[in-house]
Amino acid sequence: MEYIKGTSDFVLEKPSAVTLGKFDGIHIGHQKLISIVKEKAEENNLLSVLFTFDSIPLSICPQKNQHFLSTNSERKMLCEKYGVDVEIEYPFTHEFMNMEPEEFIEKVLVRKLKAKFIVVGVDFCFGKNRAGNAELLVENGEKYGYETIVVDKEKYQDIEISSTYIRDELKQGHMETVNVLLGRPYSVTGIVAKGNQLGRKLDIPTINIYPTEIKLLPPNGVYASTTIIDGKNIYGVTNLGTKPTVNNGSDISVETNLFNFDEDVYGKKVEVMLLHFLRQEMKFDNVEALKKQMESDASFAKNMFMVK
């Protein structure tokens, strides 16, 4: 996959089918847009393109929620997973924010992306004051030589699927619902770092990653999880939180006890997928009580996964 990030100085090498949006989380509604783009690209020998933004600066949009279901690197990983040819993270500047809708169509969609098919959701808006919409794209199609495909929102239990809906469910720890809406388990990625080594002292070794501040997380607690390391899925149980029994700080960590796994993975990038909320994080009177609870959590998760 070609990855164009943080620059407006580019022109695609061949015509494209493109979908546009913030794509936070790349949920099943987003995946539908991507599948249509890929279909049109394959049928017409075009590039399949996902167009989004590198960031939305607080100085420009201070009211925006700056916590996201997916980081830029996670979104890139998902674009590769779903078979996109080109992901574009366009710079979101004052100049771009004040671009008139038809100027965006002409300068970006037509000149830079060479768009022949534009695939958007019914609520897609763009340009200065969000004055452009799907209808305007349709109206300008003949003039600029592209076709617009407007896609209705996917629904789950009669509720329209959106990143906002998923964020609300995530904040409540409703992992099963979140995972249905995403079409995959909600995950946190990071580089394995050294923790306080307490797990090894308790004979329950763990790995630690520290999520970026912009990553939206479910409630602090313990989760049945599966972790991808070097392409392998390993079952485990994950504590998301501050580890109050042994820490006085407030830094959030994702600490995972991996079942039947004892390899050295320090410095490796891993993906921890949170499948089921087991219990809230709590402070224990001593480390022995903590160990007993960790063993109980692991036993529950092993039974759930049918792991010995």
Side-chain angles (χ1 to χ4, degrees), residues 15-120:
S16 70
V18 58
T19 184
L20 306 98
K22 292 190 289 290
F23 295 102
D24 187 22
I26 308 198
H27 55 64
I28 59 176
H30 296 145
Q31 292 165 38
K32 183 177 181 180
L33 300 177
I34 291 171
S35 68
I36 295 171
V37 161
K38 287 180 59 183
E39 179 184 322
K40 292 299 180 183
E42 290 169 6
E43 289 175 352
N44 298 276
N45 190 28
L46 307 171
L47 292 172
S48 60
V49 177
L50 184 143
F51 180 97
T52 186
F53 307 108
D54 59 351
S55 64
I56 301 177
L58 281 169
S59 60
I60 294 177
C61 296
Q63 79 281 9
K64 293 289 185 181
N65 184 343
Q66 292 291 309
H67 290 87
F68 302 96
L69 297 170
S70 54
T71 65
N72 286 15
S73 63
E74 289 170 343
R75 183 175 58 201
K76 177 175 178 281
M77 180 179 67
L78 289 166
C79 284
E80 290 176 322
K81 174 181 177 180
Y82 295 127
V84 173
D85 291 326
V86 184
E87 185 201 355
I88 298 167
E89 290 183 1
Y90 205 79
F92 193 91
T93 61
H94 281 282
E95 179 183 4
F96 179 82
M97 187 174 69
N98 289 300
M99 187 179 288
E100 294 294 340
E102 190 165 341
E103 183 184 6
F104 173 76
I105 293 173
E106 180 181 356
K107 289 186 176 180
V108 179
L109 294 181
V110 176
R111 291 186 192 173
K112 293 182 181 298
L113 306 187
K114 302 179 183 177
K116 296 302 178 184
F117 291 90
I118 299 172
V119 183
V120 294

Side-chain angles (χ1 to χ4, degrees), residues 197-209:
Q197 305 291 299
L198 179 64
R200 295 195 177 277
K201 295 174 185 175
L202 297 177
D203 200 28
I204 308 175
T206 59
I207 64 168
N208 290 269
I209 62 174

